[in-house]
Amino acid sequence: MRKEIRVLHCILEFYPVFTGHGLYLTQLFKFLDKGVKNSILSLSFNKYISYEKFNDIDIYRVPFSPGGKFSDMRQSLALLLSLFKYRHTFDVLHLHGHVDLYGLIALFCKLYNKKIVMQMVLMGSDDPLTIKKSYKLMWARFPLFKLMDKFICISSPLVQACLDAGIPENKVILIPQGVNNLKFSPPTLDERSRLRRDFGFTDEDRIVTFVGAIIERKGVDVLVDAWKEIQSRVDNAVLLLVGPYEFGDEDKNCSTLSVYVESIIGKIRKDDLKVVLVGRSDQVDLLLKMSDVFVLPSRKEGFGNVILEAMACGVPPVVTYMDGVALETVENGFNGYIVSGESDLSDKVSLLLSDKCTYSKMSKNSIAKVDKEFSMTVIAPKYSDVYDTLMGGGD
């Protein structure tokens, strides 16, 4: 890199309100080229201070109260005013998700000679085909949307959606998610036993772990329904639900989310299931290292980075198809299983918990696949190359 490139990442929620993608960014920043200086622009929901540092990253917050009339327009204008305020702090604006609702941010960047990147993270939500269908007057908005310099897609289905929407191929780049396999790594037998004792489990327990918010999109209801059968087949089977299950005012549709959690807890109590609601945790790496199987039965997912984290720890994943996203990480029958429905989920989890030969093979294959294709040391340079090329340092 010829000189430092200043990248402002615009993501609606960041520290201390973390999304999965927000957590991912904190890992990615550690591996990016030293010639890239990263900062964050996020909404504050009127609860947090306008500026602070987190892990040596500058965080600029946009005061905003969601809801009410013209909420989308107010959000767009608030972001636009903040970009003007901080225009001297960045060279490249990196949007995470469909943040530029009206194309005004793209227009701003063109007027002020800033490069702009949009990263799409969830098929059926922020991909261009869905955007075209979901917002009014997109015939007028979409030409502004296409002003962006690069579109980073974290999965092949998102790449295809861009091309189908008419975005030029030379603007579209596939960069899958990566995993910090220094942090997420296979444990020794002694380490695994120690972790289980620390968390109150034994070597005889057969631990299946889910990581994610306890919400309908994540398919937790399907998993809990299947668990009754798994529990009847496998002695000492325990399911850990790792992720937030209590929601506050800053969460959209708080009441709906809470009703869903109550239904999950009701099923657990009704069928006397061996399920532990761990809640939000900053020890996901340790929980995965002590696990036997990882399960993610999502109905929709951007990439499912936690799948990679489990694989890096040698924990075979059992996942749903997730609009083709699962195919990016799981080779069915090689390093895990892609399942369809409650019965298939029960069968494959029970098999991995019972068949040592199959389990050992898939565990080794999971580790090898992450090392070769998804290590952060492989993925992070791809981002640096994008920024460098945009600023005239690449081909």
Side-chain angles (χ1 to χ4, degrees):
M1 297 222 173
R2 295 178 299 180
K3 65 175 184 178
E4 183 179 70
I5 298 174
R6 302 169 302 167
V7 183
L8 179 63
H9 297 263
C10 185
I11 181 171
L12 294 184
E13 294 179 332
F14 197 71
Y15 172 85
V17 181
F18 272 125
T19 59
H21 193 69
L23 288 168
Y24 176 72
L25 285 182
T26 65
Q27 294 297 312
L28 175 64
F29 291 164
K30 297 174 184 177
F31 289 84
L32 284 175
D33 191 285
K34 297 300 182 184
V36 177
K37 182 180 186 300
N38 298 287
S39 55
I40 293 285
L41 181 69
S42 72
L43 298 183
S44 71
F45 303 108
N46 292 329
K47 291 179 65 175
Y48 307 109
I49 59 177
S50 60
Y51 169 82
E52 68 176 306
K53 275 188 178 290
F54 172 74
N55 287 350
D56 205 34
I57 300 294
D58 293 315
I59 302 177
Y60 306 101
R61 296 198 181 91
V62 183
F64 180 69
S65 297
K69 198 172 184 180
F70 304 118
S71 180
D72 286 350
M73 177 61 78
R74 289 189 294 105
Q75 173 185 301
S76 296
L77 291 175
L79 288 172
L80 198 60
L81 288 172
S82 292
L83 288 176
F84 180 79
K85 179 180 179 180
Y86 300 118
R87 66 191 182 280
H88 300 300
T89 68
F90 68 96
D91 308 300
V92 178
L93 179 64
H94 188 145
L95 305 180
H96 295 270
H98 182 39
V99 178
D100 191 8
L101 301 178
Y102 294 90
L104 299 176
I105 292 175
L107 185 60
F108 169 89
C109 287
K110 291 301 174 183
L111 290 173
Y112 283 90
N113 197 29
K114 306 292 185 182
K115 299 301 182 180
I116 182 168
V117 176
M118 178 178 173
Q119 181 161 349
M120 285 161 281
V121 297
L122 184 59
M123 189 71 183
S125 177
D126 62 10
D127 66 277
L129 290 178
T130 301
I131 290 168
K132 274 188 166 183
K133 295 175 184 176
S134 303
Y135 294 87
K136 296 178 180 178
L137 300 176
M138 277 310 297
W139 61 268
R141 296 192 202 183
F142 208 69
L144 295 174
F145 180 85
K146 290 171 70 173
L147 285 175
M148 297 184 192
D149 297 290
K150 284 290 182 181
F151 294 84
I152 294 178
C153 303
I154 65 173
S155 67
S156 298
L158 285 169
V159 170
Q160 192 58 51
C162 285
L163 300 179
D164 291 345
I167 294 173
E169 186 174 358
N170 64 354
K171 285 191 172 187
V172 181
I173 183 168
L174 172 64
I175 304 180
Q177 301 283 75
V179 62
N180 180 357
N181 56 354
L182 300 177
K183 178 178 181 181
F184 294 91
S185 59
T188 64
L189 289 177
D190 286 344
E191 182 184 6
R192 190 170 180 268
S193 293
R194 178 181 58 77
L195 287 171
R196 288 190 167 210
R197 290 195 302 272
D198 290 346
F199 283 100
F201 298 98
T202 69
D203 289 338
E204 287 71 38
D205 287 321
R206 311 298 286 151
I207 300 175
V208 176
T209 298
F210 161 93
V211 179
I214 311 304
I215 57 177
E216 186 175 12
R217 178 172 66 81
K218 297 287 186 178
V220 183
D221 52 305
V222 177
L223 175 55
V224 171
D225 287 341
W227 191 253
K228 184 177 181 180
E229 178 64 22
I230 296 168
Q231 185 174 290
S232 70
R233 294 188 196 181
V234 181
D235 292 338
N236 301 316
V238 181
L239 173 62
L240 307 185
L241 299 180
V242 183
Y245 61 89
E246 295 179 327
F247 303 98
D249 294 338
E250 68 272 15
D251 298 296
K252 293 182 179 179
N253 305 314
C254 175
S255 59
T256 302
L257 294 171
S258 298
V259 168
Y260 180 77
V261 171
E262 289 172 9
S263 71
I264 296 298
I265 294 174
K267 289 181 179 183
I268 293 170
R269 290 173 176 168
K270 176 177 177 292
D271 294 321
D272 194 26
L273 302 179
K274 295 179 181 178
V275 178
V276 180
L277 278 88
V278 177
R280 190 186 298 273
S281 175
D282 58 1
Q283 297 180 301
V284 171
D285 55 324
L286 304 182
L287 291 166
L288 287 174
K289 286 182 179 188
M290 73 172 194
S291 300
D292 294 294
V293 176
F294 172 76
V295 180
L296 186 66
S298 278
R299 295 178 167 93
K300 186 180 295 183
E301 202 68 43
F303 192 84
N305 205 62
V306 70
I307 301 172
L308 294 178
E309 293 170 349
M311 288 166 54
C313 294
V315 182
V318 178
V319 302
T320 44
Y321 182 68
M322 298 182 290
D323 289 333
V325 170
L327 298 173
E328 304 286 321
T329 52
V330 180
E331 296 180 54
N332 192 35
F334 175 75
N335 67 309
Y337 290 111
I338 300 174
V339 298
S340 176
E342 178 186 329
S343 177
D344 197 13
L345 177 61
S346 298
D347 290 343
K348 296 303 190 292
V349 171
S350 297
L351 173 63
L352 282 171
L353 292 176
S354 306
D355 187 331
K356 291 184 179 180
C357 182
T358 299
Y359 177 87
S360 178
K361 178 186 72 173
M362 290 195 174
S363 175
K364 292 175 182 177
N365 290 342
S366 291
I367 296 166
K369 188 173 181 67
V370 169
D371 285 345
K372 181 180 179 181
E373 300 178 31
F374 299 106
S375 166
M376 198 66 87
T377 55
V378 173
I379 297 300
K382 297 178 186 291
Y383 285 92
S384 298
D385 288 346
V386 169
Y387 304 143
D388 195 35
T389 300
L390 287 175
M391 298 305 296
D395 296 333

